[in-house]
Amino acid sequence: MLYHAYELQRSWMNSASAWASIGAEMLSNPRLPMGYMGTGSMMASALEVFAHAAAPYGKPAFGIEHVSIGAKQYPVSEATVVNKPFGDLKRFAREGLPADAPKLLIVAPMSGHYATLLRGTVARMVENCEVYITDWADARNVPLHEGHFDLDDYIDYLIEFLEFIGPGANMMAVCQPSVPALAATALMNRDKNPALPRTLTMMGGPIDTRESPTTVNDLAMERPLEWFRHTVIATVPMQHRGAGRRVYPGFLQLASFMSMNLGQHMMSHYEMFKHLNVGDDDSAQATKDFYDEYRSVCDMTAEFYLQTVEEVFQKHSIPNGTFEHRGTRVDLADIKQTAILAIEGERDDISGLGQTKAALKLATGLSASKKRYYMAEGAGHYGIFNGSRWRSKVAPVVEEFIAEHAKAKLKAVA
């Protein structure tokens, strides 16, 4: 019933958004009486804010057509190179990229948002790297006959994607996928897989959520797993391709994130109203662009969500050394070749300080020369991989780390 209630509410909000948009246009039309009255502009701005907040959102496009390096612009090509039921592998490359440019697999979170949330991350790294990114599917659109998708499948997908890219690739996991990316790295090191990543960068990842626990961590610990199973899991309705699939709906994930900083979101919309009212369309559009992406959400499979809650947030399986893949324990001490960079945000309210850094201590088989830690001062969770701080401060650290270990690899071969 939960999903049906949401669909009913969404249908009503879609209609309300359309009427509000029409009203805003009429009130701001200078040829109509309300258009030149003092209250007309204010009412139009209010209706436009409501229309935007209530509008439906689908999957956004990456839309990275070019990148600017210095005074020059370079076209960027985008292609889907691997197609799988629960996620594709996309490739981005700019024109003029050197033949020996590093290959980087960016692992996007499967946490309610589309991979396009990392559009800025891709755009910055494609300046100097051949970039691949996991483009996870909306679970409500995956037919039941495609089977299930859990943490084991996630790890298998990452290994398969790295094998497709080939030897010498680098991997960067943003937030939640730090756990399966770390596990995949350990398995590939253990098996001496030729395609094992040369470097692994983890950004704001919940490796050990006992370190500086946040509100997200507390919620996962306060409730038994059955509470999550019976409270936040829903069945996809008949009008979607994945009808009958059990999922954690994206709209619930969005609601939880919005409620964490409700006051801030309300102020953002109030500021947008003020910008519209005084004709500052550029500032208002910047807010609209952010929420266009932020409110574009997708569902994840129930088995993946519940397993993540249990293994990562409740049992702490990775730091306790009990995490398993297909019935076999994952030993982080097997990581001996892949260099690891842990990046954290000083003000991260989702993955607290120390949670990602814990991976460096757990990888006991890796030499100190292949471990590095970086804290982005003043950065919140999204500031680690998005915005001006990411572009100017964090991204150069990642590029330097990749380049350093590429040189070390070349020396070893020589």
Side-chain angles (χ1 to χ4, degrees):
M1 289 299 295
L2 178 65
Y3 220 123
H4 291 286
Y6 165 73
E7 293 287 351
L8 182 64
Q9 182 261 358
R10 190 178 68 163
S11 297
W12 182 86
M13 291 296 286
N14 289 352
S15 300
S17 174
W19 280 109
S21 183
I22 293 170
E25 290 185 18
M26 293 179 64
L27 289 169
S28 58
N29 190 331
R31 296 184 179 182
L32 298 176
M34 292 294 288
Y36 52 82
M37 293 177 61
T39 57
S41 175
M42 183 180 299
M43 293 173 63
S45 299
L47 285 172
E48 188 171 344
V49 171
F50 175 80
H52 181 264
Y57 295 94
K59 181 179 180 179
F62 276 95
I64 305 173
E65 298 179 354
H66 64 268
V67 292
S68 299
I69 303 176
K72 294 191 65 176
Q73 283 192 345
Y74 297 88
V76 174
S77 62
E78 173 186 342
T80 299
V81 292
V82 177
N83 183 266
K84 294 180 71 64
F86 289 93
D88 299 335
L89 180 65
K90 282 188 171 290
R91 175 184 178 272
F92 293 84
R94 72 165 175 87
E95 189 177 280
L97 194 67
D100 61 347
K103 296 180 180 180
L104 174 66
L105 171 61
I106 298 178
V107 187
M110 184 183 281
S111 57
H113 284 102
Y114 292 100
T116 50
L117 191 67
L118 304 185
R119 183 186 293 105
T121 316
V122 174
R124 175 60 181 83
M125 296 310 295
V126 81
E127 293 178 9
N128 299 301
C129 298
E130 180 182 337
V131 175
Y132 296 80
I133 187 168
T134 57
D135 188 22
W136 302 116
D138 187 340
R140 73 177 180 179
N141 294 326
V142 182
L144 273 176
H145 67 76
E146 296 291 357
H148 75 292
F149 186 90
D150 60 12
L151 264 174
D152 288 335
D153 298 302
Y154 196 121
I155 293 169
D156 291 340
Y157 269 47
L158 296 188
I159 294 175
E160 182 177 340
F161 289 159
L162 284 167
E163 289 174 340
F164 174 86
I165 297 169
N170 303 274
M171 182 159 55
M172 181 167 73
V174 179
C175 189
Q176 161 263 324
S178 293
V179 171
L182 186 62
T185 300
L187 293 170
M188 296 179 80
N189 273 261
R190 181 200 66 190
D191 298 337
K192 296 181 172 56
N193 191 314
L196 65 86
R198 186 172 293 165
T199 66
L200 169 63
T201 298
M202 293 177 290
M203 309 174 71
I207 301 301
D208 188 350
T209 59
R210 296 171 299 185
E211 299 285 342
S212 305
T214 63
T215 303
V216 175
N217 309 146
D218 292 340
L219 175 62
M221 289 297 294
E222 289 171 358
R223 311 278 187 177
L225 190 64
E226 288 305 306
W227 181 89
F228 291 95
R229 191 186 308 277
H230 295 297
T231 306
V232 302
I233 300 301
T235 303
V236 177
M238 291 301 296
Q239 64 265 36
H240 300 289
R241 292 181 64 220
R245 182 178 295 281
R246 298 285 285 170
V247 297
Y248 175 37
F251 62 83
L252 280 182
Q253 177 86 335
L254 177 63
S256 65
F257 276 134
M258 293 285 282
S259 65
M260 286 175 60
N261 297 289
L262 184 58
Q264 181 179 333
H265 292 300
M266 292 177 67
M267 284 304 300
S268 294
H269 284 81
Y270 178 60
E271 291 297 322
M272 182 169 70
F273 163 73
K274 291 196 296 183
H275 291 144
L276 288 168
N277 201 38
V278 299
D280 186 358
D281 293 338
D282 290 341
S283 297
Q285 189 60 47
T287 304
K288 287 182 180 181
D289 291 343
F290 171 79
Y291 281 102
D292 284 347
E293 190 73 58
Y294 193 73
R295 287 201 289 258
S296 297
V297 292
C298 56
D299 300 350
M300 67 184 90
T301 64
E303 58 271 15
F304 172 80
Y305 172 74
L306 293 172
Q307 191 179 1
T308 299
V309 169
E310 182 178 24
E311 299 294 336
V312 178
F313 295 99
Q314 294 186 344
K315 290 185 175 180
H316 311 291
S317 298
I318 283 285
N320 286 334
T322 58
F323 187 84
E324 293 185 352
H325 172 258
R326 307 265 178 224
T328 302
R329 189 176 73 87
V330 176
D331 189 353
L332 298 186
D334 288 332
I335 303 177
K336 295 182 171 64
Q337 299 298 319
T338 303
I340 297 178
L341 168 62
I343 297 178
E344 297 180 329
E346 182 182 19
R347 298 179 180 177
D348 194 330
D349 59 350
I350 294 179
S351 295
L353 281 176
Q355 293 188 12
T356 312
K357 187 179 181 180
L360 302 179
K361 181 175 65 175
L362 295 169
T364 56
L366 196 62
S367 65
S369 63
K370 291 189 175 183
K371 299 178 183 180
R372 185 178 299 180
Y373 173 72
Y374 176 77
M375 183 185 73
E377 295 182 356
H381 189 70
Y382 292 98
I384 306 172
F385 57 87
N386 254 327
S388 58
R389 185 181 282 104
W390 150 251
R391 290 188 60 84
S392 63
K393 301 290 186 181
V394 183
V397 172
V398 178
E399 291 175 327
E400 178 189 343
F401 186 72
I402 290 173
E404 175 188 336
H405 292 281
K407 291 177 182 177
K409 181 67 175 180
L410 291 173
K411 288 178 182 178
V413 171

